[in-house]
């Protein structure tokens, strides 16, 4: 009887110590309301960047290619393309603004023909206004953009785990993911710019002759640029939340300490 009481008391003491350790661990990892609010604000900023990134990658208004209006016809041709497909349009010159020398903008109503790039499936280059794309550069821009979206999704998941489970060590992981996704999007934009220049230079020798073109970057590329910068800013905010508070306290002392 004495031994059974001893073992029961030892088991109760061991369970109590384990429960105390678990309680201390949860208390250490639990977010304060102030810190949770800062993380949510940074996540809101990153969400704006993520929305712009998805909008940019999923639309085909990265660049507009425009022919000149002075072609002796009542219609003119324009095109706009993105990472995945190209759309050519035949517009009435009466609809084009009077002070504009080239056909466009691409948002004007007209006869449109949109096709997906075949270098994702059959590996063929696309022909736009008697010019040929350089599929390696276009593929690189698309792959880098998709990688950026995947890393961005991983960053969102990490921050959500921080808010739901209190795993603050994932905050640094989220900061790295958002920063990397922003860099990948900016690199994708630069690679796409090179693909546009390669397209304009690769004029085919087959008739009819290639018409002179002008190009201008459109709103999808602007969304991608904004997304990359906002994601980098969000990464900096998350990284700042992972730093210890004592360096900032020494740089910005409280008023009470100054008065003392």
């Amino acid at each position: 009887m004495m031994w059974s009481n001893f073992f029961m008391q030892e088991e109760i003491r061991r369970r109590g110590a384990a429960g105390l350790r678990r309680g201390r661990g949860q208390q250490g990892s639990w977010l304060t309301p102030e810190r949770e609010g800062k993380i949510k604000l940074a996540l809101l900023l990153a969400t704006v960047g993520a929305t712009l990134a998805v909008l940019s990658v999923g639309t085909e208004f990265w660049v507009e290619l425009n022919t000149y209006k002075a072609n002796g016809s009542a219609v003119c041709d324009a095109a706009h393309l993105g990472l995945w497909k190209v759309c050519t349009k035949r517009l009435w010159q009466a609809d084009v603004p009077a002070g504009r020398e080239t056909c466009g903008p691409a948002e004007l109503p007209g006869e449109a023909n949109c096709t997906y790039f075949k270098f994702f499936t059959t590996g063929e280059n696309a022909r736009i206004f008697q010019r040929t794309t350089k599929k390696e550069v276009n593929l690189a821009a698309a792959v880098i953009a998709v990688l950026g979206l995947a890393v961005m999704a991983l960053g969102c998941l990490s921050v959500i785990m921080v808010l739901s489970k209190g795993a603050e060590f994932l905050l640094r992981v989220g900061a790295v993911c958002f920063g990397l996704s922003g860099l990948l999007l900016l690199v994708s934009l630069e690679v796409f710019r090179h693909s546009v220049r390669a397209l304009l230079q690769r004029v085919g020798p087959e008739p009819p002759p290639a018409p002179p073109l002008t190009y201008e970057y459109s709103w999808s590329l602007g969304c991608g640029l904004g997304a990359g910068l906002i994601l980098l800013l969000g990464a900096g905010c998350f990284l700042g939340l992972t730093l210890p508070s004592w360096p900032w306290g020494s740089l910005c002392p409280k008023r009470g300490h100054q008065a003392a």
Side-chain angles (χ1 to χ4, degrees):
M1 190 67 178
M2 181 180 65
W3 288 106
S4 63
N5 290 336
F6 173 76
F7 284 121
M8 289 179 62
Q9 292 176 0
E10 186 68 19
E11 181 67 18
I12 292 173
R13 186 186 66 80
R14 185 181 64 80
R15 291 182 178 179
L20 183 61
R21 285 195 299 269
R22 286 195 299 269
R24 288 177 178 175
Q26 292 177 357
Q27 185 178 1
S29 63
W30 193 254
L31 297 174
T32 62
E34 180 182 2
R35 186 170 177 80
E36 184 179 356
K38 292 178 180 179
I39 294 175
K40 287 182 177 180
L41 285 177
L43 181 60
L44 179 62
L45 179 65
T47 303
V48 174
T51 304
L52 291 176
V54 174
L55 181 63
S56 173
V57 175
T59 53
E60 62 276 3
F61 286 89
W62 284 51
V63 66
E64 295 182 10
L65 304 176
N66 303 313
T67 60
Y68 284 90
K69 291 167 55 178
N71 57 4
S73 173
V75 295
C76 59
D77 295 322
H80 58 90
L81 63 147
L83 296 176
W84 316 107
K85 66 179 180 178
V86 56
C87 294
T88 58
K89 267 190 173 183
R90 178 155 291 183
L91 307 176
W92 292 99
Q93 292 202 20
D95 296 334
V96 179
R100 186 183 176 102
E101 296 183 356
T102 58
C103 192
E107 290 83 2
L108 291 176
E111 181 183 350
N113 182 22
C114 297
T115 56
Y116 285 93
F117 290 123
K118 294 183 179 180
F119 42 70
F120 292 110
T121 54
T122 61
E124 301 177 14
N125 277 306
R127 288 185 59 83
I128 307 170
F129 296 138
Q130 286 75 49
R131 291 167 171 84
T132 307
T133 58
K134 193 173 183 179
K135 62 181 181 181
E136 296 82 4
V137 185
N138 291 83
L139 278 171
V143 170
I144 294 172
V146 172
L147 286 176
L149 293 183
V151 176
M152 181 184 66
L154 183 60
C156 291
L157 182 62
S158 300
V159 177
I160 291 174
M161 289 293 292
V162 172
L163 294 174
S164 61
K165 302 296 182 181
E168 290 196 56
F169 68 94
L170 290 176
L171 200 59
R172 187 173 283 111
V173 177
V176 172
C177 289
F178 282 123
L180 183 58
S181 65
L183 287 176
L184 287 173
L185 283 174
L186 294 179
V187 171
S188 176
L189 297 181
E190 183 62 25
V191 174
F192 182 82
R193 288 179 64 248
H194 285 280
S195 71
V196 173
R197 293 176 182 175
L199 171 66
L200 296 176
Q201 295 173 0
R202 291 163 63 91
V203 180
E206 299 86 1
L213 292 179
T214 62
Y215 70 96
E216 55 183 330
Y217 297 109
S218 192
W219 59 268
S220 293
L221 189 136
C223 289
L225 178 61
L229 296 178
I230 292 175
L231 288 172
L232 287 175
L233 180 60
C237 293
F238 285 121
L239 190 61
L241 290 172
T242 62
L243 297 177
S245 58
W246 61 267
W248 310 108
S250 61
L251 293 175
C252 303
K254 294 182 179 180
R255 292 184 179 181
H257 293 171
Q258 292 178 351

